[in-house]
Structures are given as C-alpha cells and as structure tokens.
Amino acid sequence: MPLHTLDDIEALTKQALTAYGAAPFVAAEVARAVRVAEGYGNKICGLYYVESYCLQLETGRVDGRAVPGVTTPRPAAIHVNANYGFAQPAFAHGLVPALDAAKTLGTATLAVGHAHTCTSLGYFTEQIAQSGCIGIGFTNASPIVAAPGGKTRVIGTNPIAFSVPDGAGGVAMQFDQSTTTVALGKITMAKALGQQIPLGWALDALGQPTTDPQAALEGSLVSVGEHKGWGFGLMAEILAAGMTGSVLSGSVKPLKAPQGPPHDLGQFYILIDPQSGEAFAERLAALSQAATKDEGARMPGQSRQIMQKVEVVDQVWDRLLELAQGPTPSE
C-alpha cells in the first residue's frame, strides 16, 4: 500500500474543502484534524470522512463559511454556537477563553453547539492537555444504540475522551472511546470490505445478536458493559445535547449522508487546571509508575506516536485527488 506524507494529506484535504466552498480558516482547521487522525492511524476519523465533508458542503448540509459565535453566560462557562458549521473551527474559537477561565477559576466548561460531527473527540481533549489542563469531552451522534433489552435506537455511539497533561506540553494519559462495544465506523468499514463482524458487537432489527454488518446497520450497536456503558452513553447525551442546545441523537440523520438537515450536534468539555489540586504531579507520577511496572503494561495513550508517512489505499487517494479539483457536473 502506498505511503503518503501528512503534509500532502493535509494540503490536499484543505484544497478539496476549499474547492467545495469552505472558508480558508475552516478548511485549514478541518484538514489539520484529518492530518492528526491519519498520523495516529485513526482511519475512521481521517480521510474516510473527507468525501462526505465535501459533498455536504456542496449540498449545504454543513455551512463551510459559518462564523462561530462565542458567549460567556457565566465566568467559567464558555459557549460556542457553531452555526451549523464544522466543529473544529468552533472549538478553536472557544479554546482560548475556556483555558483562560480554567486557569483563573480552577475549572471551566466549553459547550460547542449546533455543530457538524467532530469525528475524533480525543483530538480536542488532547489540545486541552497540551495547553496544561485536564480535558474531559463528550459528544453525541446519529442514533444507533438501543437500551439494554430493547431494539429502538435512542442514542449514538456517544464517545467520551479524557486527556491528562504531563506538565511539559505533552500528554501523560489519554483515552478516546465510544460508549458502545465498537465504533460505528468499524461496522461500515466491515460492510465495505465484505467482512463479517464479531458476535457481541451488534444486534439486528429484531434485537438478536448478529455477525452481518448490514443487519447491524439496520439494527443497533451494543453498549460496552451493557447497562454500565448505556449509563455512560446517556451521560454523554445529556451533556452534549442538554448543555449546548443541540439536538438529541434521535433527531440526527446518518452522519455521512450527502443530503439532509445539518447534524446540529453538541460537544461538551470540562477543563481542569491541575495546579488547583493539592498534589497532582506527584500522584500522577506515582500512578504512572505503578501502572507501567509490569512488562508490556502502560497508561492509556502513553505509547502513541504520530507517523509522518501513512498508508492510504489507492481508491481513497485517487478520490482525494479528484475532490481537490472541485465539484464536477456529475456531482
């Protein structure tokens, strides 16, 4: 499989988004997120989404020229209205005031509402940690999860991300995980590759376990830990929708569909200044030492390293080159 540099991936993604109508700053912020996802090997949140970004820009499902509005209803509460644009530039507008509030008051929240899917939630909490604060993030998505024992879709995969600063501009620990047994993208990728999925990932439309990705897409995903994961998914839903004014997952159409109403999703972040604690650095160091004592053991995210060249299948790369040339009459 051919290798491509992250510089090329970012440049072509930005060119494609701009060609389909995104403003320069918007295109740059989204392209940077794609770059980072690909660099970490997170294919589901990288180039996998670029085609849908472009087609939704063309149909107006996402506003590539939206200007986010930032308000501060309380000293430690930063709200950003993405105005049905991309989540990445909206977060960028709110990050600095949210960090300032956290470092002044100890804890702050950043609510990003009425936004397009943010894809990799950890991409945002990582930025919080790199700026010296603990970052906790929540978001919702299109409905694909039923309550344990049920079959009606209620919430999305609703990931939760947690990033911890190392005190030197890096990240000491990070996890970014859906509250389902598996991310929805793995189901859609399995379908595209003609592969079966493991038993326990999903249920069919009748609520029965299935290994067929198509049946899973017509049914529902399973919450991780069943009732326990369902509770975390509901927590993410309440914060992402309730604290941002965005819609509940049940009102969101499939994320990659070219046509349809704006996603109108929410992301909710909690920022904590570790300097407001009593012994943060010491306890973190002791915990890290204990967690990594055994050979092969590690803290979540501890061994992550971004690659500068990554493998991209020819079909995906060729499509990126096409998109970079802008819309064609047939699109």
Side-chain angles (χ1 to χ4, degrees), residues 5-326:
T5 68
L6 295 187
D7 286 346
D8 286 344
I9 287 171
E10 182 177 10
L12 282 170
T13 299
K14 181 179 178 181
Q15 182 179 331
L17 295 169
T18 304
Y20 277 81
F25 175 74
V26 171
E29 286 297 307
V30 178
R32 183 163 65 94
V34 170
R35 173 198 181 106
V36 172
E38 287 289 334
Y40 280 134
N42 184 3
K43 297 294 185 183
I44 295 173
C45 295
L47 292 174
Y48 176 71
Y49 257 94
V50 173
E51 180 178 40
S52 69
Y53 289 157
C54 291
L55 297 182
Q56 290 171 4
L57 280 166
E58 189 175 27
T59 62
R61 193 174 180 201
V62 59
D63 184 352
R65 296 191 170 274
V67 178
V70 181
T71 58
T72 309
R74 303 282 178 86
I78 311 303
H79 286 201
V80 182
N81 184 344
N83 287 315
Y84 307 117
F86 286 103
Q88 292 84 356
F91 178 85
H93 276 74
L95 178 59
V96 171
L99 288 168
D100 287 344
K103 291 178 180 180
T104 300
L105 301 168
T107 303
T109 60
L110 171 57
V112 178
H114 313 299
H116 205 61
T117 178
C118 68
T119 54
S120 174
L121 187 61
Y123 170 74
F124 302 93
T125 58
E126 181 178 48
Q127 293 178 62
I128 294 171
Q130 289 170 338
S131 299
C133 286
I134 299 166
I136 310 171
F138 310 86
T139 189
N140 57 350
S142 52
I144 193 64
V145 184
K151 59 183 181 181
T152 301
R153 297 173 171 183
V154 180
I155 63 175
T157 53
N158 290 16
I160 298 172
F162 180 67
S163 301
V164 179
D166 64 3
V171 179
M173 168 185 164
Q174 173 167 307
F175 68 77
D176 176 7
Q177 60 192 52
S178 65
T179 52
T180 51
T181 301
V182 68
L184 178 61
K186 290 193 175 181
I187 305 286
T188 57
M189 289 185 77
K191 178 189 173 184
L193 296 171
Q195 298 173 345
Q196 296 290 290
I197 60 174
L199 201 62
W201 278 13
L203 308 176
D204 63 20
L206 298 177
Q208 298 301 310
T210 183
T211 60
D212 180 357
Q214 180 58 41
L217 293 173
E218 295 171 357
S220 61
L221 300 189
V222 175
S223 295
V224 62
E226 299 182 350
H227 291 81
K228 295 178 181 179
W230 170 246
F232 278 117
L234 290 175
M235 177 177 69
E237 186 77 22
I238 290 166
L239 293 172
M243 296 301 292
T244 69
S246 303
V247 298
L248 292 170
S249 291
S251 298
V252 182
K253 302 302 180 186
L255 298 183
K256 295 188 72 179
Q259 304 284 346
H263 289 177
D264 198 7
L265 293 167
Q267 295 97 45
F268 188 74
Y269 303 93
I270 301 171
L271 297 81
I272 304 169
D273 182 2
Q275 298 300 317
S276 64
E278 300 247 339
F280 176 81
E282 293 83 354
R283 298 297 182 269
L284 176 61
L287 179 61
S288 180
Q289 184 177 12
T292 58
K293 181 177 180 180
D294 298 329
E295 185 177 354
R298 60 181 178 83
M299 294 278 276
Q302 187 178 41
S303 61
R304 287 199 323 154
Q305 290 199 1
I306 199 161
M307 301 172 287
Q308 294 306 311
K309 289 186 177 181
V310 298
E311 293 182 339
V312 181
V313 297
D314 288 336
Q315 183 180 2
V316 172
W317 188 255
D318 291 344
R319 182 56 175 148
L320 179 61
L321 292 173
E322 292 175 1
L323 293 168
Q325 301 307 310

